Amino acid sequence: MDMKSVEKKWQTKWEKSKINVFNKKNADKKLYVLEMFSYPSGANLHVGHWYNYGPTDTYARFKKMQGFEVFQPMGFDAFGLPAENYAIKTGIHPKDSTEKNIATMETQLRNMGAMFDWTAEIKTCEENYYKWTQWLFLQLYKKGLAYRKEALVNWCPDCGTVLANEQVIDGQCERCNSVVLRKDMTQWFLKITDYAEELLSDLNKIDWPEKTKLMQKNWIGKSTGCEINFECETGDTITVFTTRPDTVFGVNYVVLAPEHPLVEKLKAAHPERATAIDEYVRYASEANDIDRMSTSREKTGTFTGAYAIHPLTNKQIPIYLADYVLYSYGTGAVMAVAAHDERDYAFATKYGLPVTQVIQKVGGETVLPFCEDGILVNSGAFDGLSGDEARDAIAVHLTKIGKGGKKVNYRLRDWSVSRQRYWGAPIPMIHCPACGVVPVPEKDLPVKLPYDVEFRPNGKSPLASNEGFMKCTCPNCGGKATRDPDTLDTFVCSSWYFLRYPEAKNDKQPFSKEIANKMCPVDVYVGGSEHACMHLLYARFITKALRDMGYIDFDEPFKRLVHQGIILGPDGNRMSKSKGNVVSPDKYVNEYGSDIFRLYLMFGFSYTEGGPWNDDGIKSIAKFVDRIERLVRKSTEKTTASHNDKTSAEKQLDYAKNHAIKAITRDVELFSFNTSLARLMEYVNAMQKYDADNEVKNVAFYKTCVEDLIRMLTPFAPHLSEELWEITGHKSSVMEESYPLVDEQALIKDEIEYAVQVNSKIKAKMMIPESLSDEDIQATVCAYPEIAELLEGKTVKKCIIVKGRLINLIIG
RNA sequence: GCGGUCGUGGCGGAACUGGCAGACGCGCAAGACUAAGGAUCUUGUGGGUAACUCCAUGCAGGUUCAAUUCCUGUCGACCGCACCA
């Protein structure tokens, strides 16, 4: 079969019949199947795209044949750094290169033959989309979920620009490998931390891979502990956070992060330490990410000269600065318990500070630092309590005396969304000298991204140098004002796109509440696991925020999530141009066609595992397809020899068919495409055997077997199946057929083969009638000559029967 | 360092809630049809052994009538987080 022309033929027919377009009339049976949209980076689809989209399309088609009204849209995550970097290198404008790439990728995606509903296409870089991304930002601002603050950003001194976190690889610039520095800049943040608890607890509600849920859980990083106040000699209070209030009697010193605001006051109170403090603060601020983040780095710090008062013992506690304490977590200050914390122990040992043991190991010698739970000692009234008891009792006591109390902290930080980059959605904010920060009125959206901009990096936002863009009037007072020169992180664009698809052309709203509630959440979302703590977390946050603002009624964007595995290069490494191990799908698609290529992707790998590319098997898939074609063509030949009853051969074939239907129906649901195809192959083998062995067939029965085969194959090889369906004399599309249902009757066998074990070793196999009771089975087995021989002179102590599988006789 | 996933033939990979390990396919071998076959079909194929049988799911133990599956330890690969108090 000439797959090229067959594919073209059916793609054209599908296009004409609008079979892939979602039919709103059937919305009550909707199933929203979504693949993560692509970034239009290169011109051609790579194996990863195919591996994501091909098998998922099979799932979608399968569900459609089961009667669901499937909505499977496709679009492009078109803003972002690669296009801009490419522009910096080549001078080709990001808009031009992106549009060109999209055009090519669209063609390739159409040639793939997936049932994407192209009427719902989205491109995030188009005005009719980013207008609503800006609208989203304004709603978050109104709700108090977007705010501005000074923060440290990644700064590449060689490129002279700010880098996104994703552009920093192991503390280095991904482009020039310079060590990235930290720089203070005023940035927009989204308050994802407001949703930390719900983002954590709602993980229980969603059908996602456990691994991904765990990654989000760790990323959110809830820790339950206690805040404790230390009165400082300056009259200020240092609040520390600890998960180990049970060790509070062992506090040897208090540590502030070098960025802590109290540092200035302490310095003023202790001029003799001013030089040392200044030096240390400078040292800490100059440390780059690699050094600062390394756990093996030697602890450093300096004494402030000041003391705090221990809230329970009233002892004087020295206050230190050290950069192993992070300003951005908790209160930016900790109580150091050298005896029971490895870091504090290392620091105390280095600076000759005392180490006070307050926890004793249960059953064994206590070796310091001892960081596990034990029994309290040297802790006044709390002596003898265990860890849990002590943590509770001490927290309660601290609350009573007003020196602290229980507290929950999260590791999750607010989401920094300002990018000093050109190719993104402009932040719809205006800076007015008189009124301050003023949001752009919604009626003025979109804030258009100008085309003529010098986007080569010079350390400032590219838009800042574009006067036409920057100059504006304040919507509040009408005076001269300037626009925010930054653009939004592209993850903002992709945090809500699934809401837009059902109404991609709506020019009045981003989406309507009614349709969003009907179409969403996404029923099955398929994409790579690398987005676990970025896109997938952001989308959950935005969904919850929109719900709280009353725009939608559901809590979670993606009900079920599946990650495809990664196809590696033939050498077992990740595909990369520099390694020269990139496999291009085009070569195979041209040679074998899109159906065979996707069949091979499904058959050759375990979908969620992926693995090294190997094309040995692709020919075998081509052979498999040939066999089916021959079988189908032969079945259409005129034959007069027929009979109407069901012989045992037909019963066997019927069994094989229904066995395959049952297994495939179960396995496709689990995204287990390789086993689904294995069952389909078994069925084809059974048909071949029947065809070869039976000159005289039950023609009517065989015809349904052939037609069911085509139906069963349709989601896996849609073009081929349409062609075969036509060959068997049908005028309609096979995609309008129902997926065959299991006839359970056909699966009932008169006799089942049992494995017979004696003392857990297999001794025989025998056929046993289905209907026998356990007693009868045992009697039958014991009477079987081979077994009876082994039983001679022994008694059967126990007989274990696993219905339909195995019998184990324990004798002695 | 912490957390997680995974180790099965020459290869890709199967094995539902513990129940006949190796489904399906590749490769390989033999045969058939052939002038020929890189086409097609048939048969065989975990390892050792002449055979009865024995040994096999990274390694070492344990639980069980029964372990690829559960538990403990250990080695290796991969992924995520990483001074989070």
PDB file of all heavy atoms in Angstrom, chain A residues 793-812:
ATOM      1  N   GLY A 793       1.960 -43.886  49.326  1.00  0.00           N
ATOM      2  CA  GLY A 793       2.553 -44.005  50.651  1.00  0.00           C
ATOM      3  C   GLY A 793       2.633 -42.685  51.412  1.00  0.00           C
ATOM      4  O   GLY A 793       3.142 -42.619  52.508  1.00  0.00           O
ATOM      5  N   LYS A 794       2.148 -41.588  50.790  1.00  0.00           N
ATOM      6  CA  LYS A 794       2.171 -40.283  51.459  1.00  0.00           C
ATOM      7  C   LYS A 794       0.738 -39.838  51.707  1.00  0.00           C
ATOM      8  O   LYS A 794      -0.200 -40.350  51.097  1.00  0.00           O
ATOM      9  CB  LYS A 794       2.871 -39.241  50.577  1.00  0.00           C
ATOM     10  CG  LYS A 794       4.224 -39.686  50.027  1.00  0.00           C
ATOM     11  CD  LYS A 794       5.338 -39.237  50.962  1.00  0.00           C
ATOM     12  CE  LYS A 794       6.681 -39.832  50.582  1.00  0.00           C
ATOM     13  NZ  LYS A 794       7.350 -39.119  49.502  1.00  0.00           N
ATOM     14  N   THR A 795       0.605 -38.856  52.609  1.00  0.00           N
ATOM     15  CA  THR A 795      -0.732 -38.300  52.798  1.00  0.00           C
ATOM     16  C   THR A 795      -0.735 -36.851  52.324  1.00  0.00           C
ATOM     17  O   THR A 795       0.264 -36.123  52.458  1.00  0.00           O
ATOM     18  CB  THR A 795      -1.141 -38.319  54.279  1.00  0.00           C
ATOM     19  OG1 THR A 795      -0.112 -37.676  55.037  1.00  0.00           O
ATOM     20  CG2 THR A 795      -1.347 -39.728  54.773  1.00  0.00           C
ATOM     21  N   VAL A 796      -1.850 -36.446  51.770  1.00  0.00           N
ATOM     22  CA  VAL A 796      -1.996 -35.047  51.347  1.00  0.00           C
ATOM     23  C   VAL A 796      -2.382 -34.227  52.572  1.00  0.00           C
ATOM     24  O   VAL A 796      -3.446 -34.378  53.133  1.00  0.00           O
ATOM     25  CB  VAL A 796      -3.084 -34.926  50.255  1.00  0.00           C
ATOM     26  CG1 VAL A 796      -3.303 -33.471  49.887  1.00  0.00           C
ATOM     27  CG2 VAL A 796      -2.682 -35.741  49.033  1.00  0.00           C
ATOM     28  N   LYS A 797      -1.455 -33.330  52.979  1.00  0.00           N
ATOM     29  CA  LYS A 797      -1.720 -32.536  54.181  1.00  0.00           C
ATOM     30  C   LYS A 797      -2.567 -31.321  53.866  1.00  0.00           C
ATOM     31  O   LYS A 797      -3.302 -30.816  54.703  1.00  0.00           O
ATOM     32  CB  LYS A 797      -0.393 -32.041  54.772  1.00  0.00           C
ATOM     33  CG  LYS A 797       0.427 -33.146  55.423  1.00  0.00           C
ATOM     34  CD  LYS A 797       1.689 -32.532  55.978  1.00  0.00           C
ATOM     35  CE  LYS A 797       2.560 -33.534  56.702  1.00  0.00           C
ATOM     36  NZ  LYS A 797       3.901 -32.960  56.944  1.00  0.00           N
ATOM     37  N   LYS A 798      -2.394 -30.822  52.657  1.00  0.00           N
ATOM     38  CA  LYS A 798      -3.044 -29.573  52.309  1.00  0.00           C
ATOM     39  C   LYS A 798      -3.160 -29.506  50.796  1.00  0.00           C
ATOM     40  O   LYS A 798      -2.279 -30.014  50.083  1.00  0.00           O
ATOM     41  CB  LYS A 798      -2.151 -28.423  52.805  1.00  0.00           C
ATOM     42  CG  LYS A 798      -2.865 -27.126  53.064  1.00  0.00           C
ATOM     43  CD  LYS A 798      -1.897 -26.148  53.718  1.00  0.00           C
ATOM     44  CE  LYS A 798      -2.467 -24.746  53.781  1.00  0.00           C
ATOM     45  NZ  LYS A 798      -1.453 -23.797  54.248  1.00  0.00           N
ATOM     46  N   CYS A 799      -4.224 -28.908  50.330  1.00  0.00           N
ATOM     47  CA  CYS A 799      -4.389 -28.742  48.883  1.00  0.00           C
ATOM     48  C   CYS A 799      -4.784 -27.294  48.602  1.00  0.00           C
ATOM     49  O   CYS A 799      -5.839 -26.832  49.036  1.00  0.00           O
ATOM     50  CB  CYS A 799      -5.458 -29.701  48.364  1.00  0.00           C
ATOM     51  SG  CYS A 799      -5.805 -29.468  46.617  1.00  0.00           S
ATOM     52  N   ILE A 800      -3.903 -26.582  47.939  1.00  0.00           N
ATOM     53  CA  ILE A 800      -4.177 -25.172  47.640  1.00  0.00           C
ATOM     54  C   ILE A 800      -4.619 -25.065  46.187  1.00  0.00           C
ATOM     55  O   ILE A 800      -3.938 -25.547  45.286  1.00  0.00           O
ATOM     56  CB  ILE A 800      -2.915 -24.314  47.873  1.00  0.00           C
ATOM     57  CG1 ILE A 800      -2.550 -24.351  49.356  1.00  0.00           C
ATOM     58  CG2 ILE A 800      -3.127 -22.883  47.404  1.00  0.00           C
ATOM     59  CD1 ILE A 800      -1.092 -24.238  49.613  1.00  0.00           C
ATOM     60  N   ILE A 801      -5.776 -24.449  45.997  1.00  0.00           N
ATOM     61  CA  ILE A 801      -6.295 -24.317  44.632  1.00  0.00           C
ATOM     62  C   ILE A 801      -6.461 -22.838  44.293  1.00  0.00           C
ATOM     63  O   ILE A 801      -7.159 -22.102  44.991  1.00  0.00           O
ATOM     64  CB  ILE A 801      -7.645 -25.038  44.487  1.00  0.00           C
ATOM     65  CG1 ILE A 801      -7.442 -26.549  44.711  1.00  0.00           C
ATOM     66  CG2 ILE A 801      -8.239 -24.785  43.107  1.00  0.00           C
ATOM     67  CD1 ILE A 801      -8.720 -27.340  44.792  1.00  0.00           C
ATOM     68  N   VAL A 802      -5.766 -22.402  43.258  1.00  0.00           N
ATOM     69  CA  VAL A 802      -5.966 -21.057  42.743  1.00  0.00           C
ATOM     70  C   VAL A 802      -6.815 -21.209  41.490  1.00  0.00           C
ATOM     71  O   VAL A 802      -6.339 -21.722  40.480  1.00  0.00           O
ATOM     72  CB  VAL A 802      -4.638 -20.356  42.406  1.00  0.00           C
ATOM     73  CG1 VAL A 802      -4.884 -18.936  41.923  1.00  0.00           C
ATOM     74  CG2 VAL A 802      -3.714 -20.358  43.606  1.00  0.00           C
ATOM     75  N   LYS A 803      -8.074 -20.779  41.589  1.00  0.00           N
ATOM     76  CA  LYS A 803      -9.059 -20.987  40.507  1.00  0.00           C
ATOM     77  C   LYS A 803      -8.508 -20.574  39.141  1.00  0.00           C
ATOM     78  O   LYS A 803      -8.020 -19.474  38.959  1.00  0.00           O
ATOM     79  CB  LYS A 803     -10.321 -20.179  40.782  1.00  0.00           C
ATOM     80  CG  LYS A 803     -11.469 -20.999  41.352  1.00  0.00           C
ATOM     81  CD  LYS A 803     -12.139 -21.869  40.293  1.00  0.00           C
ATOM     82  CE  LYS A 803     -13.347 -22.616  40.878  1.00  0.00           C
ATOM     83  NZ  LYS A 803     -13.293 -24.064  40.653  1.00  0.00           N
ATOM     84  N   GLY A 804      -8.595 -21.532  38.230  1.00  0.00           N
ATOM     85  CA  GLY A 804      -8.224 -21.236  36.855  1.00  0.00           C
ATOM     86  C   GLY A 804      -6.739 -21.208  36.590  1.00  0.00           C
ATOM     87  O   GLY A 804      -6.312 -20.918  35.475  1.00  0.00           O
ATOM     88  N   ARG A 805      -5.921 -21.484  37.607  1.00  0.00           N
ATOM     89  CA  ARG A 805      -4.497 -21.367  37.390  1.00  0.00           C
ATOM     90  C   ARG A 805      -3.679 -22.564  37.869  1.00  0.00           C
ATOM     91  O   ARG A 805      -2.940 -23.168  37.082  1.00  0.00           O
ATOM     92  CB  ARG A 805      -3.945 -20.121  38.102  1.00  0.00           C
ATOM     93  CG  ARG A 805      -4.335 -18.846  37.435  1.00  0.00           C
ATOM     94  CD  ARG A 805      -3.754 -17.652  38.156  1.00  0.00           C
ATOM     95  NE  ARG A 805      -4.114 -16.418  37.482  1.00  0.00           N
ATOM     96  CZ  ARG A 805      -3.388 -15.873  36.521  1.00  0.00           C
ATOM     97  NH1 ARG A 805      -2.263 -16.434  36.139  1.00  0.00           N
ATOM     98  NH2 ARG A 805      -3.770 -14.754  35.946  1.00  0.00           N
ATOM     99  N   LEU A 806      -3.803 -22.874  39.152  1.00  0.00           N
ATOM    100  CA  LEU A 806      -2.811 -23.771  39.733  1.00  0.00           C
ATOM    101  C   LEU A 806      -3.341 -24.547  40.920  1.00  0.00           C
ATOM    102  O   LEU A 806      -4.221 -24.079  41.644  1.00  0.00           O
ATOM    103  CB  LEU A 806      -1.607 -22.896  40.095  1.00  0.00           C
ATOM    104  CG  LEU A 806      -0.551 -23.253  41.103  1.00  0.00           C
ATOM    105  CD1 LEU A 806       0.744 -22.597  40.685  1.00  0.00           C
ATOM    106  CD2 LEU A 806      -0.947 -22.787  42.483  1.00  0.00           C
ATOM    107  N   ILE A 807      -2.786 -25.746  41.088  1.00  0.00           N
ATOM    108  CA  ILE A 807      -3.130 -26.591  42.225  1.00  0.00           C
ATOM    109  C   ILE A 807      -1.830 -27.007  42.895  1.00  0.00           C
ATOM    110  O   ILE A 807      -0.892 -27.431  42.213  1.00  0.00           O
ATOM    111  CB  ILE A 807      -3.886 -27.853  41.771  1.00  0.00           C
ATOM    112  CG1 ILE A 807      -5.205 -27.449  41.101  1.00  0.00           C
ATOM    113  CG2 ILE A 807      -4.131 -28.794  42.941  1.00  0.00           C
ATOM    114  CD1 ILE A 807      -5.606 -28.367  39.997  1.00  0.00           C
ATOM    115  N   ASN A 808      -1.741 -26.815  44.197  1.00  0.00           N
ATOM    116  CA  ASN A 808      -0.517 -27.191  44.916  1.00  0.00           C
ATOM    117  C   ASN A 808      -0.870 -28.210  46.007  1.00  0.00           C
ATOM    118  O   ASN A 808      -1.615 -27.900  46.933  1.00  0.00           O
ATOM    119  CB  ASN A 808       0.119 -25.934  45.521  1.00  0.00           C
ATOM    120  CG  ASN A 808       1.508 -26.198  46.070  1.00  0.00           C
ATOM    121  OD1 ASN A 808       2.030 -27.321  45.945  1.00  0.00           O
ATOM    122  ND2 ASN A 808       2.116 -25.194  46.677  1.00  0.00           N
ATOM    123  N   LEU A 809      -0.339 -29.416  45.879  1.00  0.00           N
ATOM    124  CA  LEU A 809      -0.575 -30.464  46.879  1.00  0.00           C
ATOM    125  C   LEU A 809       0.616 -30.527  47.820  1.00  0.00           C
ATOM    126  O   LEU A 809       1.747 -30.697  47.389  1.00  0.00           O
ATOM    127  CB  LEU A 809      -0.735 -31.830  46.196  1.00  0.00           C
ATOM    128  CG  LEU A 809      -1.951 -32.015  45.275  1.00  0.00           C
ATOM    129  CD1 LEU A 809      -1.794 -33.289  44.476  1.00  0.00           C
ATOM    130  CD2 LEU A 809      -3.231 -32.019  46.082  1.00  0.00           C
ATOM    131  N   ILE A 810       0.341 -30.330  49.108  1.00  0.00           N
ATOM    132  CA  ILE A 810       1.424 -30.436  50.091  1.00  0.00           C
ATOM    133  C   ILE A 810       1.321 -31.843  50.691  1.00  0.00           C
ATOM    134  O   ILE A 810       0.308 -32.188  51.309  1.00  0.00           O
ATOM    135  CB  ILE A 810       1.280 -29.381  51.210  1.00  0.00           C
ATOM    136  CG1 ILE A 810       1.104 -27.989  50.612  1.00  0.00           C
ATOM    137  CG2 ILE A 810       2.476 -29.447  52.151  1.00  0.00           C
ATOM    138  CD1 ILE A 810       2.209 -27.548  49.691  1.00  0.00           C
ATOM    139  N   ILE A 811       2.352 -32.645  50.473  1.00  0.00           N
ATOM    140  CA  ILE A 811       2.291 -34.033  50.963  1.00  0.00           C
ATOM    141  C   ILE A 811       3.447 -34.305  51.922  1.00  0.00           C
ATOM    142  O   ILE A 811       4.431 -33.579  51.964  1.00  0.00           O
ATOM    143  CB  ILE A 811       2.332 -35.043  49.799  1.00  0.00           C
ATOM    144  CG1 ILE A 811       3.649 -34.911  49.024  1.00  0.00           C
ATOM    145  CG2 ILE A 811       1.147 -34.865  48.884  1.00  0.00           C
ATOM    146  CD1 ILE A 811       3.875 -36.033  48.032  1.00  0.00           C
ATOM    147  N   GLY A 812       3.309 -35.356  52.693  1.00  0.00           N
ATOM    148  CA  GLY A 812       4.382 -35.697  53.629  1.00  0.00           C
ATOM    149  C   GLY A 812       4.132 -37.058  54.237  1.00  0.00           C
ATOM    150  O   GLY A 812       3.165 -37.732  53.926  1.00  0.00           O
TER     151      GLY A 812
END
